[in-house]
């Protein structure tokens, strides 16, 4: 079994190459929708005393003949301690024998595959004439979302808001090194763009319904655990709602609170992103539609990304035979 750390993964696949991951993520969503994969809902351990949780996320792909399990935490207060909010490890197994092939750092994989999923949603659900991006929340995931989304088409303007202005300044410096310019704006200004990306850990709605114009596409990324929500439920009532997975979204996605309160029902959900990728359902059908992608993060995304990186690792190191220890 190989142990592949984050530094090694970043060497073989720096963030600037994120566009090359989009097809892999597209295949992950498509294969899941076509029943070529197994993915039980993620399991949670809640650490209420410490305002955090631990998640266990298994998946198996018939197409890859590989399985993978991710263990990942989410602790919003970690940055105050000099730690990342999200940290993870992934084990991938050969499905033919069960042999563990690699233990991989999953922190970078989690970030980059989530960004790629958001870009994929924007590809299918943003209106064709979309030229502006608004981002609410300037943490690490905002970086991945922006880097991936600009790979699907040319955007003229990116406005970012965060309650911490220093977080926006930090993001601005990082993106400037990649040749990407962003502007600091208010939450209302960010919400008024063609594509809105929310990446906060909020447990109360922060995006007001009156800020959202017809034709807007929203990638709701931040709500990934029970009780979290970023959008005014009235937005969901106006929107075509697309989930990554119904079971996960209903108990831990953007829709979880409105669903638990009866504000929206299962019949109000248009479908999954995988169904759109697999052409079971059309994506955006009008430039006036408001579309929302409820992203909870799928183990199948982790598996396909880990498999992709494992392939690159083998290629770089000219590995022909598995080594077991």
């Amino acid at each position: 079994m190989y142990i592949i750390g984050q530094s090694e993964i970043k060497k073989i696949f720096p963030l600037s190459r994120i566009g090359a991951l989009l097809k892999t993520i597209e295949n992950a969503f498509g294969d899941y929708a076509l029943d070529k994969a197994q993915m039980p809902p993620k399991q949670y351990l809640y650490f209420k005393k410490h305002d955090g949780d631990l998640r266990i996320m298994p998946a198996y792909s018939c197409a890859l003949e590989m399985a993978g399990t991710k263990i990942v935490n989410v602790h919003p207060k970690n940055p105050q301690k000099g730690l990342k909010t999200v940290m993870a490890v992934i084990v991938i197994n050969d499905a033919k024998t069960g042999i563990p092939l690699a233990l991989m750092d999953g922190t970078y994989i989690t970030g980059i595959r989530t960004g790629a999923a958001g870009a994929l949603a924007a590809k299918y659900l943003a209106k064709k004439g979309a030229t502006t991006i608004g981002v609410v929340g300037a943490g690490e995931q905002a970086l991945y979302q922006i880097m991936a989304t600009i790979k699907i088409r040319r955007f003229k303007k990116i406005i970012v808001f965060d309650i911490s202005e220093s977080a926006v300044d930090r993001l601005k410096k990082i993106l400037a090194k990649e040749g990407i310019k962003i502007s600091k704006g208010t939450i209302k200004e960010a919400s008024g763009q063609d594509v809105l990306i929310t990446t906060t850990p909020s447990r109360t709605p922060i995006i007001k319904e009156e800020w959202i114009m017809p034709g807007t596409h929203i990638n709701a990324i931040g709500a990934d655990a029970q009780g979290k929500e970023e959008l005014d439920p009235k937005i969901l009532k106006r929107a075509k709602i697309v989930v990554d997975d119904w079971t996960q979204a209903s108990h831990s996605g953007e829709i979880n609170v409105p669903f638990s309160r009866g504000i929206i029902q299962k019949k109000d959900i248009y479908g999954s992103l995988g169904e759109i990728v697999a052409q079971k359902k059309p994506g955006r059908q009008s430039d006036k539609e408001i579309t929302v992608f409820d992203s909870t993060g799928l183990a199948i995304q982790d598996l396909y990304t880990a498999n992709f990186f494992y392939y690159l690792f083998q290629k770089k190191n000219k590995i022909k035979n598995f080594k077991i220890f």
Side-chain angles (χ1 to χ4, degrees):
M1 180 175 71
Y2 294 97
I3 298 176
I4 309 174
Q6 185 174 137
S7 60
E8 178 67 18
I9 295 173
K10 286 185 174 180
K11 284 179 183 177
I12 61 177
F13 198 85
L15 183 55
S16 59
R17 291 188 60 196
I18 194 170
L21 184 63
L22 297 182
K23 184 60 179 176
T24 296
I25 294 300
E26 194 164 29
N27 289 339
F29 276 99
D31 285 353
Y32 182 49
L34 293 171
D35 296 323
K36 296 180 181 179
Q38 294 178 32
M39 191 190 69
K42 66 177 76 171
Q43 298 295 307
Y44 288 79
L45 297 174
Y46 293 102
F47 311 136
K48 293 183 179 180
K49 180 180 177 181
H50 306 289
D51 190 24
D53 63 69
L54 192 72
R55 307 165 190 196
I56 297 89
M57 302 171 62
Y60 160 60
S61 166
C62 304
L64 299 180
E65 293 191 316
M66 186 174 288
T69 303
K70 182 172 78 172
I71 300 175
V72 57
N73 78 292
V74 177
H75 282 66
K77 294 181 180 178
N78 267 3
Q80 301 170 19
K81 306 172 184 177
L83 298 171
K84 290 181 178 291
T85 300
V86 176
M87 294 175 282
V89 292
I90 298 173
V91 177
I92 54 174
N93 300 76
D94 181 351
K96 296 186 291 293
T97 62
I99 291 174
L101 303 175
L103 172 65
M104 308 172 70
D105 174 84
T107 305
Y108 182 61
I109 288 176
T110 298
I112 202 168
R113 62 79 154 151
T114 306
L120 184 65
K123 172 184 173 181
Y124 283 97
L125 295 171
K127 62 185 180 183
K128 291 181 179 179
T131 59
T132 63
I133 298 174
V135 182
V136 175
E140 190 167 2
Q141 185 50 223
L143 171 64
Y144 296 122
Q145 290 292 324
I146 292 171
M147 288 290 291
T149 304
I150 62 171
K151 299 296 184 182
I152 64 165
R153 68 183 69 173
R154 187 180 298 276
F155 288 91
K156 297 179 180 178
K157 180 173 63 175
I158 303 173
I159 296 178
V160 180
F161 166 82
D162 195 288
I163 55 174
S164 169
E165 291 194 7
S166 62
V168 181
D169 292 335
R170 185 167 55 250
L171 180 63
K172 191 173 185 177
K173 288 180 181 179
I174 295 171
L175 288 169
K177 293 178 181 178
E178 302 291 340
I180 302 166
K181 182 181 178 180
I182 65 172
S183 301
K184 188 183 297 183
T186 66
I187 189 170
K188 182 178 179 179
E189 288 171 333
S191 300
Q193 305 310 306
D194 297 328
V195 176
L196 170 60
I197 303 168
T198 59
T199 65
T200 77
S202 180
R203 290 183 174 272
T204 56
I206 56 174
I207 307 299
K208 295 184 179 181
E209 186 266 343
E210 59 264 31
W211 296 342
I212 304 301
M213 297 295 102
T216 302
H217 169 64
I218 304 171
N219 277 337
I221 308 297
D224 59 355
Q226 189 175 20
K228 289 186 177 182
E229 59 176 335
E230 300 178 288
L231 310 181
D232 183 334
K234 292 178 183 177
I235 297 172
L236 299 177
K237 294 294 288 184
R238 292 172 59 195
K240 173 185 281 186
I241 305 170
V242 176
V243 298
D244 54 8
D245 176 76
W246 159 252
T247 302
Q248 287 191 181
S250 63
H251 72 68
S252 60
E254 181 60 44
I255 66 170
N256 86 92
V257 176
F259 179 68
S260 68
R261 295 175 178 172
I263 297 172
I264 62 170
Q265 300 176 39
K266 188 173 183 179
K267 66 180 180 62
D268 297 318
I269 308 305
Y270 174 72
S272 71
L273 182 58
E275 289 176 312
I276 295 172
V277 169
Q279 299 184 344
K280 289 184 173 183
K281 292 183 177 182
R284 174 176 287 272
Q285 295 172 284
S286 164
D287 279 352
K288 293 184 179 181
E289 282 183 313
I290 294 172
T291 53
V292 173
F293 173 53
D294 185 349
S295 172
T296 62
L298 305 183
I300 199 70
Q301 297 168 238
D302 297 308
L303 173 60
Y304 275 62
T305 304
N307 175 70
F308 178 60
F309 289 169
Y310 182 59
Y311 165 77
L312 294 179
F313 173 80
Q314 288 178 296
K315 186 176 180 180
K316 177 188 175 184
N317 293 283
K318 299 180 180 178
I319 298 169
K320 295 182 179 179
N321 299 306
F322 299 140
K323 295 179 182 178
I324 311 299
F325 66 86

